[in-house]
Amino acid sequence: MHYDREDLEFQLWDVIGLDRLLAGSDFDRAAVTGILDTADQVATDHFLPFGHLLDEQEPRFVDGRAVLPDVVKPAVDAHVQAGFVAAGFDPAYGGMGLPETVHQAAGFIFAAANVGLAGYAMLTIGAGRLIESFGTEDQKTRYLLPMVEGRWFGTMCLSEPQAGSSLSDITTTAEPLEDGRYRISGRKMWISGGEHDLSENIVHMVLAKIPGGPVGVKGISLFIVPKLRQDGERNDVTLAGLNHKMGYRATTNCALNFGEAGDCIGELLGEPHRGLSYMFQMMNEARIGVGLGAAALGQAGYQASLAYAKDRPQGRSPAAKDPAAPQVPLIAHADIRRLLLAQKAASEPALALALYCASLVDRYRGGDADALTLLDVLTPVAKSWPSEFCLEANKHAIQVLGGAGYTRDYPVERFYRDNRLNPIHEGTHGIQGMDLLGRKVLMNNGAGLAALSSAIQSDLSGAEGTEFSGPLQDALADVARATQALVPQILSDPERGLANATLYLDMFGHVVMGWMWLRIATAAQRLQTDHGSRPFLSGKLQAARYFYARELSRVPEWAHRLERNDSTAFEMKEDWF
């Protein structure tokens, strides 16, 4: 099993309270169960069997094309035909109007089975939603409809070889033409899904600058640049090369040249010079998707190492005196249980946070404007905490298998390599820290942090007197003190003030995950009261205790260091290295 279906349903119905979100919609519990059943079948039949093959046979650059193994197209076709690309879109454009919480739950199943194959849909959905949000009706007809149908795929083209994450330094240009279109010229790097033959067309969402516009990021516009034009002729978009990655190999990753022959034509999406604000919609959706994928890889590693630990005989108890006594399974050893529990304690709240963020999207679509404020402050955590700490969980999965885990005979080393991308793409771990501390906690006079504190306090009030309420309350106070100490420094000296933003993100994220464990534990205790204890629920409570004892307990020391704003790294001179 590549994921825990019982845990996923527990998280949806008992932790999130999906019944309340579905009220008044066209979906009920039976419909959601059917959707998850379909996702499970497609993932198990078409994604899961090819993980090892697609890792070994990465995409090849042949005559200007990206060539993938033959198994890829039937897999993505099965995904499309089952409706999972269309599912989240408005029915007006051929979608199902599926609640985002359910859509993300299905995405978790696919990512746990084969995260590289799942990437094509995630990119297409994100690009399609940009057109849905900011495109003209004509653009929606010409581009969005075939994307919802899954006949055309999409990408996001931000980075450039010389700019990386510094988007103010991009040099791709868009020269206006008399017919209202634009001639695009430039190079883009690290473009996932940028070239393949899996779909009839690829719709690139390209950031570029219109000459004469404002300098820096204020002069960036967003353009629709298809691989093939409406008449079926090839646009001047060429594959310059493929990046050979450590993992995540089922998704092509490309260097693309736009307008190499001077004939790349694109269309402006929305208004000029607002491209970065538009693209942030896709980036923020992708960031939550990255966190979900990291949680899925953490879960996949946990399931694989748990099965191995139960099956593999290894040694005897330290108390055993008879060397001829039968060996015990690995899971009988305390340190193996620690490694398994550490994985569980990381991957399950990471999934809980991704689903919670998805529920905020549903609440916002339902008219709750405050949900967006909370989502803004949680997005850096939802992306980065799973990427950092579910990667650590994958390390533990390898350790459970020992030497076998370090070989390609078992999938756990692949999960680690796949997950290592997640602290890097869609904004590195460090960039997310600066976004959280330098922007999100300061925006609107701290409205995001206030919204988060209010949400946590609401759940704490329902768990008053439990073993988890006091430690979480104390940790929340630690975050408040550290934030109060750092904000004046950020305002007066941003470089020094943000020097420890990554540590702030880790501390903040641990408190958020402590909150997720409080929600999980509260739901488990409620079920125990109503239906009696069972191993599944006892495991939840023990994993929560582990997280509080081993992880949340780190928050006071981190907060103390942040209050002092330790300057060791900041004061290190370049020529001292």
Side-chain angles (χ1 to χ4, degrees), residues 85 89 119-135 139-140 143-148 152-158 192-193 201-206 222-225 269 278-279 281-283 285-286 426:
V85 172
F89 286 100
Y120 295 102
M122 185 181 82
L123 291 160
T124 301
I125 292 165
R129 283 178 173 164
L130 280 178
I131 298 172
E132 184 180 29
S133 297
F134 307 111
Q139 288 172 332
K140 292 173 187 178
Y143 294 106
L144 178 58
L145 291 181
M147 293 171 76
V148 172
W152 294 6
F153 284 3
T155 73
M156 55 194 299
C157 298
L158 291 76
S192 294
N201 202 353
I202 302 173
V203 180
H204 302 292
M205 310 305 296
V206 180
L222 182 58
F223 297 87
I224 302 171
V225 185
L269 183 67
Y278 297 155
M279 187 62 91
Q281 173 182 295
M282 186 174 181
M283 284 191 287
E285 289 178 4
E426 305 305 338

Side-chain angles (χ1 to χ4, degrees), residues 420-501:
R420 189 61 190 86
L421 175 63
N422 289 323
I424 299 171
H425 69 159
E426 305 305 338
T428 65
H429 193 57
I431 286 174
Q432 298 301 325
M434 289 190 288
D435 180 49
L436 176 65
L437 180 57
R439 293 182 64 246
K440 298 299 173 61
V441 302
L442 299 177
M443 283 194 317
N444 300 321
N445 296 316
L449 187 56
L452 176 62
S453 297
S454 176
I456 295 175
Q457 291 292 354
S458 177
D459 286 330
L460 278 167
S461 67
E464 192 172 351
T466 68
E467 61 190 292
F468 306 111
S469 60
L472 183 57
Q473 189 78 62
D474 292 344
L476 190 58
D478 287 332
V479 169
R481 283 194 301 273
T483 305
Q484 289 169 0
L486 287 169
V487 166
Q489 297 182 58
I490 295 167
L491 297 176
S492 63
D493 185 355
E495 187 174 5
R496 180 181 286 272
L498 292 171
N500 290 304

Side-chain angles (χ1 to χ4, degrees), residues 309-528:
K310 288 180 175 179
D311 185 65
R312 165 77 175 181
Q314 182 73 53
R316 294 160 188 84
S317 164
K321 304 300 182 185
D322 182 4
Q327 293 190 84
V328 298
L330 270 174
I331 201 169
H333 297 287
D335 196 57
I336 295 298
R337 293 198 297 275
R338 174 188 66 83
L339 292 168
L340 293 168
L341 191 51
Q343 295 175 67
K344 182 179 178 73
S347 60
E348 292 185 6
L351 171 60
L353 180 58
L355 295 176
Y356 184 82
C357 287
S359 76
L360 291 175
V361 173
D362 288 324
R363 285 166 49 185
Y364 177 70
R365 291 174 179 171
D368 181 358
D370 292 338
L372 189 60
T373 300
L374 184 52
L375 181 62
D376 278 343
V377 79
L378 283 175
T379 296
V381 179
K383 188 274 180 189
S384 274
W385 197 96
S387 299
E388 192 76 6
F389 293 98
C390 289
L391 177 68
E392 186 78 359
N394 289 137
K395 183 190 80 174
H396 295 324
I398 294 172
Q399 196 71 18
V400 169
L401 273 68
Y406 195 63
T407 70
R408 294 187 182 179
D409 297 327
Y410 295 89
V412 289
E413 61 86 31
R414 169 165 49 87
F415 298 150
Y416 182 92
R417 288 186 288 107
D418 285 345
N419 219 349
R420 189 61 190 86
L421 175 63
N422 289 323
I424 299 171
H425 69 159
E426 305 305 338
T428 65
H429 193 57
I431 286 174
Q432 298 301 325
M434 289 190 288
D435 180 49
L436 176 65
L437 180 57
R439 293 182 64 246
K440 298 299 173 61
V441 302
L442 299 177
M443 283 194 317
N444 300 321
N445 296 316
L449 187 56
L452 176 62
S453 297
S454 176
I456 295 175
Q457 291 292 354
S458 177
D459 286 330
L460 278 167
S461 67
E464 192 172 351
T466 68
E467 61 190 292
F468 306 111
S469 60
L472 183 57
Q473 189 78 62
D474 292 344
L476 190 58
D478 287 332
V479 169
R481 283 194 301 273
T483 305
Q484 289 169 0
L486 287 169
V487 166
Q489 297 182 58
I490 295 167
L491 297 176
S492 63
D493 185 355
E495 187 174 5
R496 180 181 286 272
L498 292 171
N500 290 304
T502 301
L503 181 62
Y504 182 88
L505 173 63
D506 290 345
M507 175 197 66
F508 196 100
H510 267 55
V511 174
V512 170
M513 291 304 163
W515 173 37
M516 291 297 108
W517 268 121
L518 177 78
R519 291 169 56 83
I520 293 168
T522 300
Q525 288 169 330
R526 184 171 60 247
L527 288 175
Q528 280 190 334

Side-chain angles (χ1 to χ4, degrees), residues 28-102:
D28 57 16
R29 186 180 288 246
V32 171
T33 299
I35 290 165
L36 297 181
D37 286 344
T38 301
D40 185 89
Q41 182 177 358
V42 173
T44 301
D45 293 348
H46 298 280
F47 278 43
L48 189 63
F50 306 116
H52 184 71
L53 182 149
L54 295 176
D55 185 58
E56 286 197 326
Q57 299 180 24
E58 61 182 322
R60 293 178 296 120
F61 182 83
V62 179
D63 297 328
R65 296 171 51 244
V67 178
L68 291 141
D70 292 340
V71 300
V72 176
K73 184 164 174 53
V76 297
D77 284 350
H79 191 208
V80 168
Q81 290 161 11
F84 288 103
V85 172
F89 286 100
D90 191 307
Y93 303 109
M96 292 171 53
L98 189 67
E100 186 65 13
T101 309
V102 181

